[in-house]
Amino acid sequence: MRQRRVASLSIFAFGFVLGLLALCWPHSLDAQEALPPTPADIVTQHDVSMKTRDGIALYADIYRPRSAGKFPVVLMRTPYDKNVNWAVSPAYRIVPRGYVVIIQDVRGRYTSEGEWYPFRHEQADGFDAVEWAAALPYCDGKVGMMGASYVGATQMLAAIAQPPHLAAIAPNMTASNYHDGWTYQSGAFEQWFDQNWTSQLAQNTLQRRIDENTNALVGSPTLPLADYPVFNFGQLPADSKLTSALAPYYADWLAHPDYDDYWKQWSIEEHFSNIAVPMLQVGGWYDIFNGGTLRNYMGAKAHGSTEAARTRQHLLIEIGGHAGFGRRIGDVDFGPHATENVYTDVILDWYDFLFKGIQNEFATDKPVKLFVMGANEYRQEDDWPPPQAQPTKYFLHSAGKANSLRGDGSLSTIAPKSETPDAYVYNPANPVPTFGGPLCCDERHMEPGPRDQRSVENRDDVLVYSTGPLPRDLEVTGPVTADLFVKSSAVDTDFTAKLVDVAPDGFAQDLTEGILRMRYHVSPEHAALINPGQIYEISVDLWATSNVFLRGHSLRLEISSSNFPRFDRNLNTGEEIKFARSLVSATNTILHDGQHPSALVLPVMPSK
């Protein structure tokens, strides 16, 4: 019997946003919604077994046309239950277009055998699944893949294994590096996502343990009857011991804060040269993995092992990603065009073009399509980043009192000369709270997407730098960085940065954000504590955006040292995060003068 699902977006929101994008938003997971009846022209086979090279049985459901013939396969490999409505329903739209759809539970999840451990088996198992699918009697030998989030990771990891019959993939909202941009970001632990995801994954693991250890005969001799053990594996351990028993990978993540061989073994970025197939990368400006989506496109285009991999890459960036789909995300209504480019429709066109030679938009359009916020419409580009965007520095200015909205911080394209630095006290016992942004995967407890940032900007430990109202529209499309000169009283601390679009009424819409843990400011591979009081030049990666700052709006940059609980608090002590518990306040300083010209660097598009 399948475990009862928690009431929230939870695994639904994380596992496969295909349903969210296409058919099922925003259903609760309190109970599994009944599947629609299978159309008469579709043949369904449930729990079809496939043996991996090491003898593990993985189970899949197969949906195929009733008519005779051979068809391309679209394969989805998921850790989130192959039977849920959001996974199955798209098959009823894809199969009638002349495809076989296969949805497989990955190793150690739901119906499939083996032990679950994120990423570990997806290369070999993905290779085996593709080749098994290609050999089915109704397959024409071409296999594509689909899916979002971890289901996108199963595609990327299969692609770098190079199964001969894999012809293309369509990863939606997934990362390029499972250290940076998944478990960590620029050295900071992605605490909200990591713990949230772990708790959700552990539910099925616990259910499997219960199923494996439930036998009334074992406990039947027990007297008195009141002592009957309902399960046979003894008393569950409590707290962190239960975490270790059900999710040992969580402890491994904490034990490997450096970008070391543990992460490199399955890092996509280390293996771009192994990618041999065309890819359609889909992301979202408020998606937690959007940095990886963009790197996957650029990396395969530059380093793919075949001409098809290098020249037939496509990129689609929507708005919300894991933060949601629709015209309204967070506090912002993005207009009617926001609901265009539904994932199921897009991948159908993608595979029609590649597998059937249909001359649709993928044959004629430019390879990059972006939703431009502010203008609230899609636009096509020749490449990413748009080559016409000009890196433009907006320098930080103040008289040393940029703290909060009440301060005197400003932004200007004029370089500073002699100015007083800005300082604030970062107290990890009172961190700056996360408010919106690229969050996953529990909307009930932390709402993602664009939110009005003024409550955060009213804190004295947040430095606020703004332009005045802009005299004309200003489009920013491309990667965003904050190049800062900083110092700290601590041996380690964090610096955060956030790009904000301020409307005339004061509404402060967060666009993109970043963080840097100072012990990793030189290299993600080797931690090194800093010298208190020493000035360091750093670059905080805010990933990317596409937004038109409309006339009368203002550009704003927020700088602080925490964004909790999205990222773990830096306790400022330099201790290993796995065991650290002592909290120390730090005085952190941003310099902006002639010798230390701190600046926000924006990709400004030519005015039209």
Side-chain angles (χ1 to χ4, degrees), residues 343-467:
Y343 180 67
T344 306
D345 296 335
V346 172
I347 63 168
L348 273 169
D349 287 345
W350 172 242
Y351 287 123
D352 279 352
F353 164 64
L354 290 174
F355 292 173
K356 300 183 178 184
I358 295 175
Q359 297 300 292
N360 55 32
E361 64 177 331
F362 285 107
T364 58
D365 287 352
K366 296 178 180 180
V368 175
K369 182 183 288 187
L370 312 171
F371 189 88
V372 183
M373 297 180 288
N376 291 344
E377 61 186 12
Y378 279 96
R379 190 180 66 225
Q380 294 174 342
E381 293 289 348
D382 293 317
D383 201 2
W384 177 267
Q388 68 271 34
Q390 296 297 314
T392 303
K393 290 187 175 183
Y394 283 79
F395 295 97
L396 281 59
H397 298 276
S398 81
K401 298 179 180 179
N403 309 72
S404 84
L405 275 176
R406 302 176 299 278
D408 62 358
S410 65
L411 289 174
S412 168
T413 55
I414 300 173
K417 295 181 180 178
S418 177
E419 294 187 6
T420 304
D422 293 301
Y424 57 94
V425 175
Y426 160 51
N427 178 5
N430 181 28
V432 176
T434 299
F435 195 68
L439 301 176
C440 179
C441 305
D442 182 354
E443 186 181 74
R444 183 177 64 163
H445 293 106
M446 287 191 67
E447 185 178 354
R451 308 288 304 280
D452 189 346
Q453 298 297 306
R454 281 177 288 186
S455 62
V456 172
E457 294 168 350
N458 272 313
R459 294 175 57 114
D460 285 338
D461 55 355
V462 178
L463 303 180
V464 178
Y465 302 91
S466 307
T467 65

Side-chain angles (χ1 to χ4, degrees), residues 34-54:
L35 291 171
T38 303
D41 58 348
I42 295 178
V43 175
T44 302
Q45 297 171 268
H46 291 290
D47 295 325
V48 180
S49 175
M50 180 209 93
K51 285 291 181 119
T52 64
R53 65 190 68 182
D54 59 347

